[in-house]
Amino acid sequence: MDRSPLFETFARIPLALDRGEGVWVFTTDGRRLLDFSGGIAVNALGHAHPRLVEALKSQADRLWHVSNLFQIPEQEALAEALVGSTFADKVFFCNSGAEAVECAIKTARRYQFVSGHPERYRIVTFAGAFHGRTLATLAATGNPKYLEGFGPAADGFDQVPLGDLEAVKAAIGPETAAIMIEPIQGEGGIREVSGQFLRDLRALCDEGGLMLIFDEVQTGIGRTGRLFAYEWAGAAPDIMTAAKGIGGGFPFGACLATNEAAKGMTPGTHGSTFGGNPLAMAVGNAVLDVLLEDGFLEDVRRKSLYLKQRLASVVDGHPDLVADVRGEGMLVGVRCVVPVGDVVAACRDQDMLCVAAGENVMRFLPPLNASEEELDEGVRRFDAALAALDQASARDG
Ligand SMILES: *Cc1c(COP(=O)(O)O)cnc(C)c1O
């Protein structure tokens, strides 16, 4: 590993993954693990879902790439489906979450520019946020640890504490263009704000002529049991991002907006070579078809309650190790008392993959189509991991 030709930007776990099937992944040396890391909320329908595999293969036989110089029917179809099931009127396709956020930032600034407010470019964001790793989205994220050593942070972002409406009001000035928030902070530790807070932000934006941006890169595409998490709050944004789950593992992202919000994004103002590529669009259409089937999201909500109840009873049995269960849908967090890395490693010893998040929280991100039995299996392995940690600490202490 120390001779790897790769950048050392990831502290990689020494498991070489070779193949996946539903909630399971297999290593090159034949180990089978229950995958509740879900590629960090990307594998919405698990691994190798037959309909996604079929969509990708048949598109691969027809057309891989043209250019956005031309019409791409699969792109129109997916945009139509997204617009038909959200607040939005318009969609821009790109390649990642950070690019979707970049597009959202540009769209908000450009809206103000063409509305007679070229001075409005600043965006209010929230402590604990994660918006990506490009230079602008890093500045929006505002985490000093991620910004260090990369020169001056991009100008135009004002961070306030999460859930603090007075701080938001105080941060809004004559140069403010927008407010940007994740309806549930994913990387920050499955941190929720109230629906009331999101509705209050909506009202502030309406009063001040500001754009409201929801970053739903992690919460979108059914992850919280609604197609997008804003539906829980009953407050729609003007601009919204999506990525992670949108291609079920095929990388792409999207920025959605109302007609009004997108009015400044005229020919030449933005672009992407790969964005909306036919392969990505074919898979994206298949993902959305499955999610929008009758009863699918309802089923996610039902299974989520079940998972959270089961996890809560496991958590109750180990108060010295873990504290509480939080989240919505298949975006579930367990706050740890001991270092979350120890819990993640103990789960791996039980052949189960999970991911850590901020605030010492362990994330469970099973595929949306995981069965109750598969969720049970995850809970059982989590319980066994905690029991092993208890035993180890009894031995050491
Ligand atoms: C993961 C994430 C991003 C960045 O997505 P990338 O595809 O890694 O660029 C942005 N916003 C949120 C809320 C995310 O969870």
Side-chain angles (χ1 to χ4, degrees):
M1 272 307 195
D2 53 332
R3 302 289 294 186
S4 170
L6 300 172
F7 268 39
E8 306 290 337
T9 47
F10 301 102
R12 290 175 198 272
I13 294 154
L15 278 178
L17 301 176
D18 176 51
R19 182 167 78 77
E21 201 183 304
V23 292
W24 300 98
V25 283
F26 300 82
T27 62
T28 47
D29 51 7
R31 196 171 149 196
R32 176 180 184 255
L33 300 106
L34 185 66
D35 186 5
F36 275 23
S37 68
I40 315 192
V42 167
N43 302 314
L45 297 173
H47 298 283
H49 189 287
R51 283 177 62 178
L52 309 196
V53 172
E54 171 52 31
L56 185 59
K57 282 184 173 167
S58 70
Q59 186 62 44
D61 283 335
R62 286 182 22 231
L63 186 68
W64 285 26
H65 180 80
V66 279
S67 156
N68 287 305
L69 290 171
F70 307 101
Q71 288 175 14
I72 300 173
E74 294 81 8
Q75 212 183 98
E76 299 275 345
L78 183 54
E80 202 65 66
L82 286 168
V83 160
S85 37
T86 64
F87 73 95
D89 306 306
K90 293 269 182 210
V91 184
F92 182 90
F93 289 109
C94 54
N95 308 288
S96 68
E99 276 186 29
V101 178
E102 289 271 347
C103 181
I105 294 167
K106 287 180 72 173
T107 302
R109 289 181 175 175
R110 187 76 190 169
Y111 164 82
Q112 299 293 1
F113 179 82
V114 299
S115 301
H117 290 291
E119 76 286 1
R120 292 189 182 175
Y121 72 101
R122 304 195 68 84
I123 298 179
V124 177
T125 65
F126 293 87
F130 185 77
H131 296 298
R133 298 285 200 157
T134 62
L135 289 169
T137 61
L138 263 186
T141 294
N143 184 335
K145 201 175 74 188
Y146 297 162
L147 281 159
E148 185 185 31
F150 296 112
D155 182 32
F157 299 93
D158 299 304
Q159 243 187 8
V160 300
L162 187 65
D164 186 340
L165 197 68
E166 291 312 310
V168 176
K169 286 180 188 165
I172 294 173
E175 295 183 336
T176 304
I179 300 173
M180 177 160 71
I181 188 167
E182 299 156 82
I184 300 176
Q185 286 190 347
E187 299 306 307
I190 321 291
R191 292 171 77 203
E192 299 175 73
V193 289
S194 66
Q196 187 59 51
F197 185 69
L198 296 176
R199 290 192 293 277
D200 288 342
L201 294 183
R202 176 71 274 170
L204 275 183
C205 287
D206 289 343
E207 283 159 28
L210 310 179
M211 293 278 100
L212 182 59
I213 306 172
F214 286 168
D215 182 355
E216 293 231 28
V217 167
Q218 188 148 165
T219 52
I221 313 294
R223 184 46 61 183
T224 70
R226 301 272 176 198
L227 190 59
F228 288 95
Y230 77 82
E231 297 167 38
W232 288 109
D238 302 291
I239 303 170
M240 180 175 78
T241 61
K244 294 203 163 90
I246 199 168
F250 199 98
F252 75 98
C255 178
L256 289 75
T258 62
N259 276 327
E260 176 68 4
K263 71 182 181 186
M265 300 305 274
T266 47
T269 54
H270 198 44
S272 170
T273 296
F274 292 122
N277 158 293
L279 292 168
M281 297 298 104
V283 187
N285 277 305
V287 170
L288 213 57
D289 283 349
V290 174
L291 261 59
L292 293 177
E293 270 172 11
D294 240 11
F296 183 91
L297 290 171
E298 200 183 316
D299 211 39
V300 173
R301 297 195 288 276
R302 186 184 52 74
K303 288 183 298 186
S304 164
L305 285 180
Y306 176 75
L307 173 64
K308 284 195 289 184
Q309 277 165 5
R310 293 290 318 272
L311 283 174
S313 75
V314 168
V315 165
D316 282 346
H318 302 277
D320 50 327
L321 299 173
V322 282
D324 60 60
V325 179
R326 42 166 102 171
E328 284 300 342
M330 295 294 165
L331 181 65
V332 176
V334 171
R335 196 162 57 82
C336 299
V337 178
V338 295
V340 61
D342 295 356
V343 182
V344 170
C347 286
R348 205 156 56 236
D349 291 342
Q350 304 295 326
D351 291 335
M352 167 157 140
L353 302 179
C354 300
V355 257
E359 290 201 327
N360 211 40
V361 164
M362 157 117 170
R363 253 182 302 181
F364 293 88
L365 302 162
L368 305 179
N369 57 346
S371 69
E372 236 166 58
E373 294 68 39
E374 289 161 341
L375 296 175
D376 274 335
E377 186 58 29
V379 172
R380 199 188 61 70
R381 288 175 192 230
F382 179 53
D383 198 16
L386 295 176
L389 280 176
D390 266 334
Q391 258 172 23
S393 75
R395 227 176 14 246
D396 301 343

